[in-house]
Structures are given as structure tokens and as C-alpha cells.
mmCIF file of all heavy atoms in Angstrom:
data_model
loop_
_atom_site.group_PDB
_atom_site.id
_atom_site.type_symbol
_atom_site.label_atom_id
_atom_site.label_comp_id
_atom_site.label_asym_id
_atom_site.label_seq_id
_atom_site.Cartn_x
_atom_site.Cartn_y
_atom_site.Cartn_z
ATOM 1 N N GLY A 1 4.651 -21.116 -11.643
ATOM 2 C CA GLY A 1 5.696 -21.583 -10.742
ATOM 3 C C GLY A 1 5.826 -20.711 -9.502
ATOM 4 O O GLY A 1 5.533 -19.511 -9.542
ATOM 5 N N ARG A 2 6.253 -21.318 -8.432
ATOM 6 C CA ARG A 2 6.320 -20.615 -7.147
ATOM 7 C C ARG A 2 7.352 -19.492 -7.162
ATOM 8 O O ARG A 2 7.119 -18.429 -6.580
ATOM 9 C CB ARG A 2 6.637 -21.609 -6.023
ATOM 10 C CG ARG A 2 6.735 -20.942 -4.662
ATOM 11 C CD ARG A 2 6.929 -21.951 -3.546
ATOM 12 N NE ARG A 2 7.118 -21.294 -2.269
ATOM 13 C CZ ARG A 2 6.132 -20.803 -1.538
ATOM 14 N NH1 ARG A 2 4.884 -20.925 -1.954
ATOM 15 N NH2 ARG A 2 6.376 -20.209 -0.379
ATOM 16 N N SER A 3 8.486 -19.696 -7.798
ATOM 17 C CA SER A 3 9.540 -18.685 -7.780
ATOM 18 C C SER A 3 9.090 -17.408 -8.488
ATOM 19 O O SER A 3 9.329 -16.296 -7.988
ATOM 20 C CB SER A 3 10.818 -19.237 -8.413
ATOM 21 O OG SER A 3 10.574 -19.632 -9.755
ATOM 22 N N ARG A 4 8.438 -17.546 -9.641
ATOM 23 C CA ARG A 4 7.955 -16.369 -10.358
ATOM 24 C C ARG A 4 6.836 -15.684 -9.588
ATOM 25 O O ARG A 4 6.774 -14.455 -9.521
ATOM 26 C CB ARG A 4 7.466 -16.767 -11.752
ATOM 27 C CG ARG A 4 8.569 -17.227 -12.695
ATOM 28 C CD ARG A 4 8.009 -17.616 -14.044
ATOM 29 N NE ARG A 4 9.052 -18.074 -14.951
ATOM 30 C CZ ARG A 4 8.826 -18.537 -16.164
ATOM 31 N NH1 ARG A 4 7.571 -18.618 -16.623
ATOM 32 N NH2 ARG A 4 9.833 -18.935 -16.929
ATOM 33 N N TRP A 5 5.948 -16.511 -9.043
ATOM 34 C CA TRP A 5 4.854 -15.936 -8.268
ATOM 35 C C TRP A 5 5.379 -15.163 -7.066
ATOM 36 O O TRP A 5 4.918 -14.049 -6.765
ATOM 37 C CB TRP A 5 3.917 -17.055 -7.787
ATOM 38 C CG TRP A 5 2.963 -16.577 -6.729
ATOM 39 C CD1 TRP A 5 1.804 -15.889 -6.931
ATOM 40 C CD2 TRP A 5 3.094 -16.746 -5.313
ATOM 41 N NE1 TRP A 5 1.208 -15.618 -5.710
ATOM 42 C CE2 TRP A 5 1.976 -16.135 -4.712
ATOM 43 C CE3 TRP A 5 4.053 -17.374 -4.502
ATOM 44 C CZ2 TRP A 5 1.795 -16.113 -3.330
ATOM 45 C CZ3 TRP A 5 3.872 -17.352 -3.132
ATOM 46 C CH2 TRP A 5 2.758 -16.728 -2.558
ATOM 47 N N LYS A 6 6.359 -15.717 -6.382
ATOM 48 C CA LYS A 6 6.911 -15.056 -5.204
ATOM 49 C C LYS A 6 7.594 -13.753 -5.576
ATOM 50 O O LYS A 6 7.485 -12.750 -4.855
ATOM 51 C CB LYS A 6 7.895 -15.995 -4.502
ATOM 52 C CG LYS A 6 8.314 -15.515 -3.120
ATOM 53 C CD LYS A 6 9.139 -16.574 -2.417
ATOM 54 C CE LYS A 6 9.497 -16.108 -1.007
ATOM 55 N NZ LYS A 6 10.305 -17.144 -0.285
ATOM 56 N N ALA A 7 8.296 -13.749 -6.711
ATOM 57 C CA ALA A 7 8.967 -12.530 -7.158
ATOM 58 C C ALA A 7 7.956 -11.420 -7.445
ATOM 59 O O ALA A 7 8.164 -10.255 -7.076
ATOM 60 C CB ALA A 7 9.806 -12.823 -8.401
ATOM 61 N N ILE A 8 6.843 -11.775 -8.101
ATOM 62 C CA ILE A 8 5.809 -10.782 -8.396
ATOM 63 C C ILE A 8 5.090 -10.357 -7.127
ATOM 64 O O ILE A 8 4.696 -9.198 -6.973
ATOM 65 C CB ILE A 8 4.821 -11.343 -9.435
ATOM 66 C CG1 ILE A 8 5.552 -11.619 -10.756
ATOM 67 C CG2 ILE A 8 3.656 -10.387 -9.671
ATOM 68 C CD1 ILE A 8 4.698 -12.295 -11.805
ATOM 69 N N HIS A 9 4.949 -11.290 -6.185
ATOM 70 C CA HIS A 9 4.235 -10.994 -4.947
ATOM 71 C C HIS A 9 4.959 -9.937 -4.117
ATOM 72 O O HIS A 9 4.341 -9.277 -3.281
ATOM 73 C CB HIS A 9 4.064 -12.276 -4.124
ATOM 74 C CG HIS A 9 2.815 -12.288 -3.301
ATOM 75 N ND1 HIS A 9 1.569 -12.517 -3.835
ATOM 76 C CD2 HIS A 9 2.619 -12.080 -1.973
ATOM 77 C CE1 HIS A 9 0.664 -12.468 -2.884
ATOM 78 N NE2 HIS A 9 1.271 -12.191 -1.738
ATOM 79 N N TRP A 10 6.263 -9.778 -4.332
ATOM 80 C CA TRP A 10 7.009 -8.737 -3.626
ATOM 81 C C TRP A 10 6.536 -7.348 -4.022
ATOM 82 O O TRP A 10 6.838 -6.362 -3.326
ATOM 83 C CB TRP A 10 8.502 -8.889 -3.909
ATOM 84 C CG TRP A 10 9.181 -9.904 -3.034
ATOM 85 C CD1 TRP A 10 9.353 -11.229 -3.303
ATOM 86 C CD2 TRP A 10 9.762 -9.681 -1.744
ATOM 87 N NE1 TRP A 10 10.012 -11.852 -2.264
ATOM 88 C CE2 TRP A 10 10.284 -10.915 -1.301
ATOM 89 C CE3 TRP A 10 9.909 -8.561 -0.947
ATOM 90 C CZ2 TRP A 10 10.914 -11.059 -0.077
ATOM 91 C CZ3 TRP A 10 10.553 -8.693 0.285
ATOM 92 C CH2 TRP A 10 11.040 -9.929 0.702
ATOM 93 N N LEU A 11 5.783 -7.235 -5.123
ATOM 94 C CA LEU A 11 5.244 -5.941 -5.526
ATOM 95 C C LEU A 11 4.294 -5.378 -4.476
ATOM 96 O O LEU A 11 4.044 -4.173 -4.448
ATOM 97 C CB LEU A 11 4.509 -6.068 -6.864
ATOM 98 C CG LEU A 11 5.373 -6.374 -8.095
ATOM 99 C CD1 LEU A 11 4.480 -6.593 -9.309
ATOM 100 C CD2 LEU A 11 6.369 -5.262 -8.347
ATOM 101 N N ALA A 12 3.753 -6.246 -3.633
ATOM 102 C CA ALA A 12 2.850 -5.780 -2.585
ATOM 103 C C ALA A 12 3.548 -4.799 -1.648
ATOM 104 O O ALA A 12 2.918 -3.888 -1.097
ATOM 105 C CB ALA A 12 2.306 -6.969 -1.793
ATOM 106 N N TYR A 13 4.858 -4.987 -1.462
ATOM 107 C CA TYR A 13 5.599 -4.086 -0.591
ATOM 108 C C TYR A 13 5.738 -2.694 -1.215
ATOM 109 O O TYR A 13 5.946 -1.711 -0.497
ATOM 110 C CB TYR A 13 6.988 -4.657 -0.292
ATOM 111 C CG TYR A 13 6.958 -5.831 0.655
ATOM 112 C CD1 TYR A 13 6.903 -7.133 0.177
ATOM 113 C CD2 TYR A 13 6.957 -5.641 2.029
ATOM 114 C CE1 TYR A 13 6.864 -8.221 1.042
ATOM 115 C CE2 TYR A 13 6.918 -6.709 2.906
ATOM 116 C CZ TYR A 13 6.874 -8.002 2.403
ATOM 117 O OH TYR A 13 6.827 -9.062 3.263
ATOM 118 N N ALA A 14 5.660 -2.590 -2.527
ATOM 119 C CA ALA A 14 5.650 -1.286 -3.192
ATOM 120 C C ALA A 14 4.233 -0.730 -3.276
ATOM 121 O O ALA A 14 4.034 0.493 -3.253
ATOM 122 C CB ALA A 14 6.243 -1.411 -4.594
ATOM 123 N N MET A 15 3.253 -1.607 -3.373
ATOM 124 C CA MET A 15 1.866 -1.182 -3.494
ATOM 125 C C MET A 15 1.380 -0.483 -2.239
ATOM 126 O O MET A 15 0.679 0.534 -2.308
ATOM 127 C CB MET A 15 0.978 -2.402 -3.774
ATOM 128 C CG MET A 15 -0.513 -2.131 -3.777
ATOM 129 S SD MET A 15 -1.446 -3.663 -3.664
ATOM 130 C CE MET A 15 -1.023 -4.212 -1.991
ATOM 131 N N TRP A 16 1.778 -1.000 -1.072
ATOM 132 C CA TRP A 16 1.239 -0.471 0.186
ATOM 133 C C TRP A 16 1.613 0.990 0.438
ATOM 134 O O TRP A 16 0.726 1.828 0.662
ATOM 135 C CB TRP A 16 1.683 -1.376 1.341
ATOM 136 C CG TRP A 16 1.228 -0.884 2.664
ATOM 137 C CD1 TRP A 16 -0.017 -0.970 3.205
ATOM 138 C CD2 TRP A 16 2.023 -0.185 3.633
ATOM 139 N NE1 TRP A 16 -0.058 -0.380 4.444
ATOM 140 C CE2 TRP A 16 1.188 0.112 4.728
ATOM 141 C CE3 TRP A 16 3.359 0.206 3.670
ATOM 142 C CZ2 TRP A 16 1.647 0.782 5.841
ATOM 143 C CZ3 TRP A 16 3.821 0.876 4.791
ATOM 144 C CH2 TRP A 16 2.979 1.156 5.857
ATOM 145 N N PRO A 17 2.902 1.385 0.413
ATOM 146 C CA PRO A 17 3.205 2.806 0.610
ATOM 147 C C PRO A 17 2.665 3.670 -0.515
ATOM 148 O O PRO A 17 2.288 4.830 -0.292
ATOM 149 C CB PRO A 17 4.742 2.842 0.664
ATOM 150 C CG PRO A 17 5.189 1.606 -0.013
ATOM 151 C CD PRO A 17 4.136 0.582 0.255
ATOM 152 N N ASP A 18 2.618 3.131 -1.723
ATOM 153 C CA ASP A 18 2.061 3.861 -2.854
ATOM 154 C C ASP A 18 0.608 4.226 -2.582
ATOM 155 O O ASP A 18 0.180 5.363 -2.815
ATOM 156 C CB ASP A 18 2.178 2.994 -4.107
ATOM 157 C CG ASP A 18 2.006 3.802 -5.380
ATOM 158 O OD1 ASP A 18 2.189 5.031 -5.321
ATOM 159 O OD2 ASP A 18 1.692 3.219 -6.417
ATOM 160 N N ALA A 19 -0.155 3.265 -2.081
ATOM 161 C CA ALA A 19 -1.563 3.511 -1.776
ATOM 162 C C ALA A 19 -1.727 4.515 -0.638
ATOM 163 O O ALA A 19 -2.641 5.359 -0.661
ATOM 164 C CB ALA A 19 -2.253 2.194 -1.421
ATOM 165 N N LEU A 20 -0.839 4.458 0.355
ATOM 166 C CA LEU A 20 -0.926 5.393 1.480
ATOM 167 C C LEU A 20 -0.640 6.824 1.024
ATOM 168 O O LEU A 20 -1.341 7.765 1.423
ATOM 169 C CB LEU A 20 0.043 4.982 2.583
ATOM 170 C CG LEU A 20 -0.487 4.026 3.650
ATOM 171 C CD1 LEU A 20 0.560 3.800 4.724
ATOM 172 C CD2 LEU A 20 -1.773 4.552 4.276
ATOM 173 N N PHE A 21 0.385 7.002 0.211
ATOM 174 C CA PHE A 21 0.692 8.340 -0.290
ATOM 175 C C PHE A 21 -0.440 8.850 -1.186
ATOM 176 O O PHE A 21 -0.752 10.048 -1.171
ATOM 177 C CB PHE A 21 2.016 8.322 -1.068
ATOM 178 C CG PHE A 21 3.231 8.480 -0.205
ATOM 179 C CD1 PHE A 21 3.979 7.367 0.166
ATOM 180 C CD2 PHE A 21 3.619 9.725 0.252
ATOM 181 C CE1 PHE A 21 5.099 7.506 0.969
ATOM 182 C CE2 PHE A 21 4.745 9.879 1.060
ATOM 183 C CZ PHE A 21 5.487 8.766 1.416
ATOM 184 N N HIS A 22 -1.046 7.964 -1.958
ATOM 185 C CA HIS A 22 -2.197 8.342 -2.788
ATOM 186 C C HIS A 22 -3.342 8.833 -1.914
ATOM 187 O O HIS A 22 -3.922 9.905 -2.176
ATOM 188 C CB HIS A 22 -2.644 7.145 -3.624
ATOM 189 C CG HIS A 22 -4.067 7.232 -4.087
ATOM 190 N ND1 HIS A 22 -4.496 8.092 -5.079
ATOM 191 C CD2 HIS A 22 -5.172 6.543 -3.672
ATOM 192 C CE1 HIS A 22 -5.795 7.945 -5.261
ATOM 193 N NE2 HIS A 22 -6.237 7.024 -4.429
ATOM 194 N N ALA A 23 -3.669 8.063 -0.884
ATOM 195 C CA ALA A 23 -4.794 8.420 -0.025
ATOM 196 C C ALA A 23 -4.541 9.737 0.706
ATOM 197 O O ALA A 23 -5.424 10.593 0.800
ATOM 198 C CB ALA A 23 -5.047 7.299 0.978
ATOM 199 N N ALA A 24 -3.327 9.901 1.228
ATOM 200 C CA ALA A 24 -3.008 11.120 1.968
ATOM 201 C C ALA A 24 -2.944 12.334 1.048
ATOM 202 O O ALA A 24 -3.376 13.434 1.417
ATOM 203 C CB ALA A 24 -1.685 10.946 2.706
ATOM 204 N N GLY A 25 -2.424 12.134 -0.168
ATOM 205 C CA GLY A 25 -2.241 13.262 -1.065
ATOM 206 C C GLY A 25 -3.502 13.743 -1.733
ATOM 207 O O GLY A 25 -3.682 14.943 -1.962
ATOM 208 N N ILE A 26 -4.412 12.837 -2.024
ATOM 209 C CA ILE A 26 -5.612 13.225 -2.774
ATOM 210 C C ILE A 26 -6.840 13.357 -1.885
ATOM 211 O O ILE A 26 -7.826 13.985 -2.270
ATOM 212 C CB ILE A 26 -5.897 12.197 -3.892
ATOM 213 C CG1 ILE A 26 -6.745 12.823 -5.001
ATOM 214 C CG2 ILE A 26 -6.565 10.937 -3.343
ATOM 215 C CD1 ILE A 26 -6.902 11.956 -6.221
ATOM 216 N N GLY A 27 -6.797 12.782 -0.687
ATOM 217 C CA GLY A 27 -7.968 12.795 0.188
ATOM 218 C C GLY A 27 -8.215 14.149 0.818
ATOM 219 O O GLY A 27 -7.312 14.745 1.397
ATOM 220 N N THR A 28 -9.445 14.641 0.719
ATOM 221 C CA THR A 28 -9.787 15.923 1.338
ATOM 222 C C THR A 28 -10.014 15.798 2.838
ATOM 223 O O THR A 28 -10.090 16.805 3.533
ATOM 224 C CB THR A 28 -11.052 16.494 0.680
ATOM 225 O OG1 THR A 28 -12.117 15.528 0.784
ATOM 226 C CG2 THR A 28 -10.805 16.789 -0.797
ATOM 227 N N ASP A 29 -10.143 14.560 3.339
ATOM 228 C CA ASP A 29 -10.382 14.356 4.767
ATOM 229 C C ASP A 29 -9.116 13.965 5.510
ATOM 230 O O ASP A 29 -9.177 13.576 6.678
ATOM 231 C CB ASP A 29 -11.451 13.277 4.981
ATOM 232 C CG ASP A 29 -11.109 11.982 4.249
ATOM 233 O OD1 ASP A 29 -10.103 11.965 3.507
ATOM 234 O OD2 ASP A 29 -11.845 10.988 4.423
ATOM 235 N N THR A 30 -7.954 14.083 4.869
ATOM 236 C CA THR A 30 -6.697 13.693 5.514
ATOM 237 C C THR A 30 -6.445 14.433 6.821
ATOM 238 O O THR A 30 -5.979 13.819 7.793
ATOM 239 C CB THR A 30 -5.518 13.907 4.541
ATOM 240 O OG1 THR A 30 -5.667 13.028 3.422
ATOM 241 C CG2 THR A 30 -4.189 13.604 5.214
ATOM 242 N N PRO A 31 -6.729 15.749 6.944
ATOM 243 C CA PRO A 31 -6.436 16.444 8.207
ATOM 244 C C PRO A 31 -7.324 16.039 9.376
ATOM 245 O O PRO A 31 -7.029 16.413 10.514
ATOM 246 C CB PRO A 31 -6.654 17.928 7.851
ATOM 247 C CG PRO A 31 -6.624 17.988 6.359
ATOM 248 C CD PRO A 31 -7.168 16.684 5.899
ATOM 249 N N LEU A 32 -8.405 15.306 9.128
ATOM 250 C CA LEU A 32 -9.304 14.923 10.213
ATOM 251 C C LEU A 32 -8.615 13.966 11.176
ATOM 252 O O LEU A 32 -7.833 13.111 10.772
ATOM 253 C CB LEU A 32 -10.572 14.280 9.647
ATOM 254 C CG LEU A 32 -11.411 15.151 8.704
ATOM 255 C CD1 LEU A 32 -12.642 14.382 8.231
ATOM 256 C CD2 LEU A 32 -11.817 16.446 9.395
ATOM 257 N N GLY A 33 -8.938 14.107 12.446
ATOM 258 C CA GLY A 33 -8.303 13.286 13.469
ATOM 259 C C GLY A 33 -8.516 11.798 13.260
ATOM 260 O O GLY A 33 -7.584 10.993 13.429
ATOM 261 N N PHE A 34 -9.739 11.413 12.882
ATOM 262 C CA PHE A 34 -10.021 9.998 12.659
ATOM 263 C C PHE A 34 -9.184 9.448 11.516
ATOM 264 O O PHE A 34 -8.645 8.336 11.602
ATOM 265 C CB PHE A 34 -11.511 9.808 12.348
ATOM 266 C CG PHE A 34 -11.863 8.414 11.917
ATOM 267 C CD1 PHE A 34 -11.987 7.398 12.850
ATOM 268 C CD2 PHE A 34 -12.049 8.108 10.568
ATOM 269 C CE1 PHE A 34 -12.302 6.098 12.459
ATOM 270 C CE2 PHE A 34 -12.367 6.818 10.178
ATOM 271 C CZ PHE A 34 -12.498 5.817 11.121
ATOM 272 N N GLN A 35 -9.049 10.224 10.438
ATOM 273 C CA GLN A 35 -8.287 9.757 9.284
ATOM 274 C C GLN A 35 -6.804 9.654 9.613
ATOM 275 O O GLN A 35 -6.129 8.695 9.218
ATOM 276 C CB GLN A 35 -8.492 10.716 8.110
ATOM 277 C CG GLN A 35 -8.001 10.178 6.784
ATOM 278 C CD GLN A 35 -8.791 8.969 6.310
ATOM 279 O OE1 GLN A 35 -10.001 8.899 6.506
ATOM 280 N NE2 GLN A 35 -8.114 8.017 5.719
ATOM 281 N N LEU A 36 -6.295 10.614 10.369
ATOM 282 C CA LEU A 36 -4.890 10.555 10.776
ATOM 283 C C LEU A 36 -4.632 9.351 11.677
ATOM 284 O O LEU A 36 -3.590 8.692 11.574
ATOM 285 C CB LEU A 36 -4.509 11.847 11.498
ATOM 286 C CG LEU A 36 -4.458 13.113 10.636
ATOM 287 C CD1 LEU A 36 -4.194 14.330 11.503
ATOM 288 C CD2 LEU A 36 -3.402 12.983 9.551
ATOM 289 N N ALA A 37 -5.600 9.059 12.567
ATOM 290 C CA ALA A 37 -5.456 7.883 13.436
ATOM 291 C C ALA A 37 -5.470 6.597 12.616
ATOM 292 O O ALA A 37 -4.730 5.644 12.911
ATOM 293 C CB ALA A 37 -6.582 7.866 14.472
ATOM 294 N N LEU A 38 -6.292 6.565 11.567
ATOM 295 C CA LEU A 38 -6.356 5.384 10.697
ATOM 296 C C LEU A 38 -5.040 5.185 9.953
ATOM 297 O O LEU A 38 -4.525 4.055 9.869
ATOM 298 C CB LEU A 38 -7.503 5.536 9.703
ATOM 299 C CG LEU A 38 -7.780 4.336 8.778
ATOM 300 C CD1 LEU A 38 -8.130 3.107 9.607
ATOM 301 C CD2 LEU A 38 -8.910 4.663 7.814
#
């Protein structure tokens, strides 16, 4: 059903910052200028 799907789809808004903090926290190339620009 659309209502349940839409409710679960809101998880994407939690996934995105979670992935960014993961990449910044664990990545050894985070201080590089290109990575910061990305």
C-alpha cells in the first residue's frame, strides 16, 4: 500500500546524513580538498 510505503520511504531522510557522517568519520581522505568539496 502507498501509505505504508511512503512512511518507510521517509527513512531516506535519516539515511542520507547517516551516510555522510559515516563517510566523513571513517574516510582517511576526508581532509583532502576534493573530498571536502564533494
Side-chain angles (χ1 to χ4, degrees):
R2 179 175 176 80
S3 59
R4 292 179 181 176
W5 167 81
K6 192 173 183 180
I8 297 175
H9 211 76
W10 277 91
L11 292 175
Y13 287 93
M15 174 196 67
W16 178 77
D18 197 21
L20 270 184
F21 275 100
H22 158 73
I26 203 172
T28 56
D29 54 355
T30 295
L32 300 180
F34 172 78
Q35 193 66 37
L36 291 175
L38 184 60

